[in-house]
Amino acid sequence: MADTQPTLSDLAAKITELSETFTRHLRENDVQPPTFAANSPISYSKLTPEMFYIRQMLADALMDMWYLTQGPSESIFNYVHTCMPDAAALNIMNYFDFWSAVPLDGSASYADIAKHTSLPQDVVERVLAHATTLRLFSETEPGKSTSRIQHTSRSAALARSPGLKALVSTILDDAGPPMMVMNQALEKYSCGKPALTKDMSETSFALLHSGGAFGNFANSWDFIENDGEGEKKGWRQRNFVEFMRYLKEIFHLEKAVLDSYDWKAAGKITVVDLGGSGGHDDIALAQAFPDLTITVQDLPEVKPTFEATVPADLKSRVSFMEHDFFKPQPVQADIYMLKLILHDWPDHESVQILQALRPALKPGSRVLFIDYVGKQGETEGSPLPRSIQQMGTATDLRMMALFNAKERPVEAWRDIFRAADERFEIVRLEANPLTFFVVIEAVWRE
Ligand SMILES: C[S@@+](CC[C@H](N)C(=O)[O-])C[C@H]1O[C@@H](n2cnc3c(N)ncnc32)[C@H](O)[C@@H]1O
């Protein structure tokens, strides 16, 4: 097998070839490529699915080059040495908003940043010393004591994009700590058993947040909803709402929702969006389809963000209602939308959420289920680039840490509907492996 193994030179050639293809595409499509300068574009615009795929193959080749350049043991040593400090530095800078402490078109002294963040200057200097090695900020005069701090494109992206900042907070600050105790949770609750415990009181999250220094929260949603006191109460939920809005933007999910059903043909109908967050999908739906009347249901801390963002001219058609989706559904509607909801829960809870709809369902009522498919079934042809597979595998482990849930292949959703009630008839199931999304339309029959 040794002869099939790539050498450094093979990888270098592959990287050159893929880079050239990618760059040619950017040139031909008039896409301005990012640089490390603060005024750079913060992402590649207008990437076609084909170019996205090429870029991910390039990312795979670069990772292989990184591994092989160092060799097996040093690539692990170096990774272990830096991965937690990298994540910690990013989390600290995000939490204390270093991003806005430095002007986008100028520089700031360490003392300015310390004042802005209320952190000791020594801490600021040490965090930034590591951050600048990651091209997050840079020194105006590298290595000199007179140096000030300026943005790079990577730190500027966080200053410019509230959504990216919210994503870092949710993924690192909300979900990061439980992931570091997954081994302990597995040892305590699942080791020696044939399957992972599905009990939500036996998650890594629960191990960390069941009393003690990290608070007492029933699950990750309870934490996101209730962590913080006084003005800080609800800060994680406000952040999460922004994170969801951002996901919609970067994955172009607005179109997925608008195309998920023939809303125009449906005419004057009522819709309930369960766990609809700040109503970003519902505002887009109501704007596109003037006959729709939509109730957004979510936890109480979401309400202020919803009220602040819903346009005045939509208030009569898009309203917010506090509702726990485990409780019996109080609103009779034509369509119940569940987008990115069941994905966060183990099977038992997913079934309960669907069953809680039953009191409101009448023959012909519909459930429109839209979710992320992080686990592909068996694939034909060559496997997806590893950097694409990681999008699903990483989410899968996060789901395990937070909820003892898992990424499911498309077909698993049929079983969830069936287990919830045989009166749900699935009349449509559309899965797109390139967008990673599945749409299921189920009709209630009696
Ligand atoms: C992953 S987000 C999906 C948001 C939105 N549907 C979207 O696709 O952007 C899950 C949502 O479920 C909400 N949620 C969690 N537990 C809930 C509960 N018991 N009752 C109602 N909403 C809940 C969260 O607050 C969050 O807004």
Side-chain angles (χ1 to χ4, degrees):
M1 290 298 284
D3 55 346
T4 63
Q5 293 293 322
T7 63
L8 276 181
S9 307
D10 294 339
L11 286 167
K14 191 168 176 189
I15 288 165
T16 305
E17 189 193 322
L18 288 166
S19 307
E20 278 171 4
T21 310
F22 189 58
T23 317
R24 193 174 339 111
H25 166 84
L26 299 178
R27 227 180 9 251
E28 284 167 5
N29 290 280
D30 227 5
V31 177
Q32 204 192 335
T35 67
F36 289 117
N39 63 359
S40 150
I42 66 170
S43 62
Y44 289 99
S45 58
K46 301 184 283 185
L47 273 198
T48 60
E50 191 198 350
M51 278 307 121
F52 169 73
Y53 199 87
I54 294 225
R55 183 185 72 176
Q56 298 313 124
M57 292 206 302
L58 177 57
D60 277 15
L62 286 163
M63 279 314 290
D64 280 348
M65 185 82 155
W66 191 89
Y67 295 138
L68 217 51
T69 305
Q70 299 165 87
S73 66
E74 275 167 273
S75 69
I76 289 172
F77 176 100
N78 291 332
Y79 172 74
V80 168
H81 184 56
T82 55
C83 70
M84 294 309 297
D86 292 357
L90 182 55
N91 196 30
I92 292 167
M93 292 190 296
N94 202 55
Y95 186 89
F96 291 99
D97 196 15
F98 279 42
W99 322 126
S100 68
V102 179
L104 281 163
D105 54 0
S107 63
S109 66
Y110 289 101
D112 294 338
I113 302 171
K115 186 154 179 256
H116 186 93
T117 58
S118 305
L119 286 173
Q121 186 169 329
D122 171 60
V123 173
V124 166
E125 288 174 11
R126 291 165 65 187
V127 170
L128 282 167
H130 189 66
T132 52
T133 68
L134 302 169
R135 288 202 189 267
L136 284 163
F137 295 112
S138 66
E139 288 186 309
T140 51
E141 301 168 89
K144 298 237 169 76
S145 60
T146 48
S147 190
R148 293 166 64 84
I149 287 293
Q150 62 194 0
H151 272 289
T152 61
S153 57
R154 276 160 53 79
S155 57
L158 283 145
R160 289 204 166 98
S161 167
L164 184 62
K165 182 167 181 272
L167 176 146
V168 172
S169 180
T170 301
I171 304 281
L172 283 186
D173 203 63
D174 297 357
M179 297 207 70
M180 283 316 292
V181 297
M182 284 178 83
N183 57 334
Q184 303 290 335
L186 287 171
E187 167 145 83
K188 193 160 177 190
Y189 303 120
S190 296
C191 199
K193 300 191 179 151
L196 174 76
T197 169
K198 294 197 173 118
D199 186 334
M200 286 191 63
S201 68
E202 296 180 344
T203 58
S204 312
F205 175 90
L207 192 61
L208 205 68
H209 292 285
S210 300
F214 298 107
N216 196 0
F217 299 96
N219 58 47
S220 177
W221 296 116
D222 185 18
F223 177 55
I224 286 175
E225 181 73 5
N226 294 311
D227 183 43
E229 278 167 18
E231 273 192 7
K232 270 220 119 174
K233 173 110 197 304
W235 76 278
R236 290 187 193 271
Q237 184 62 278
R238 289 192 285 280
N239 221 22
F240 194 85
V241 172
E242 177 58 26
F243 169 44
M244 282 293 112
R245 190 207 56 73
Y246 178 66
L247 279 194
K248 181 181 88 162
E249 185 186 307
I250 55 172
F251 289 117
H252 309 293
L253 295 182
E254 181 162 323
K255 187 163 163 23
V257 173
L258 297 181
D259 294 350
S260 64
Y261 189 69
D262 193 348
W263 302 103
K264 193 160 192 285
K268 272 195 179 312
I269 59 162
T270 51
V271 180
V272 167
D273 184 10
L274 278 99
S277 193
H280 53 90
D281 288 323
D282 312 292
I283 291 169
L285 269 176
Q287 271 161 346
F289 302 101
D291 282 341
L292 298 181
T293 303
I294 309 176
T295 307
V296 185
Q297 295 180 338
D298 209 298
L299 301 172
E301 290 295 340
V302 175
K303 191 174 180 187
T305 315
F306 171 85
E307 298 298 355
T309 46
V310 64
D313 62 326
L314 289 185
K315 283 196 173 158
S316 60
R317 288 194 296 121
V318 186
S319 54
F320 186 88
M321 180 186 191
E322 293 176 16
H323 175 64
D324 174 351
F325 49 46
F326 286 98
K327 303 254 167 73
Q329 177 56 245
V331 180
Q332 274 218 336
D334 299 297
I335 296 188
Y336 297 88
M337 186 161 94
L338 287 99
K339 175 167 159 275
L340 294 174
I341 299 299
L342 299 190
H343 161 94
D344 286 331
W345 299 92
D347 292 358
H348 177 69
E349 283 76 7
S350 297
V351 164
Q352 283 182 328
I353 293 169
L354 286 177
Q355 287 176 338
L357 290 173
R358 289 186 297 197
L361 297 175
K362 50 188 190 303
S365 303
R366 270 152 220 271
V367 172
L368 187 63
F369 168 90
I370 305 173
D371 221 314
Y372 173 65
V373 183
K375 187 175 174 73
Q376 303 297 326
E378 223 170 277
T379 46
E380 284 172 17
S382 42
L384 288 171
R386 296 192 314 269
S387 55
I388 296 186
Q389 291 176 42
Q390 279 174 350
M391 295 171 186
T393 54
T395 318
D396 186 49
L397 291 184
R398 196 171 299 118
M399 292 297 111
M400 190 194 291
L402 298 183
F403 305 107
N404 279 337
K406 62 180 176 203
E407 293 300 341
R408 299 162 170 103
V410 171
E411 285 305 314
W413 297 116
R414 280 191 199 276
D415 299 336
I416 301 273
F417 272 91
R418 204 173 297 126
D421 202 300
E422 301 231 316
R423 287 169 288 180
F424 283 118
E425 186 195 342
I426 295 186
V427 294
R428 183 164 60 101
L429 185 153
E430 285 166 10
N432 182 343
L434 269 188
T435 61
F436 299 96
F437 270 79
V438 59
V439 176
I440 295 177
E441 185 184 333
V443 181
W444 183 251
R445 310 277 189 212
E446 272 181 3

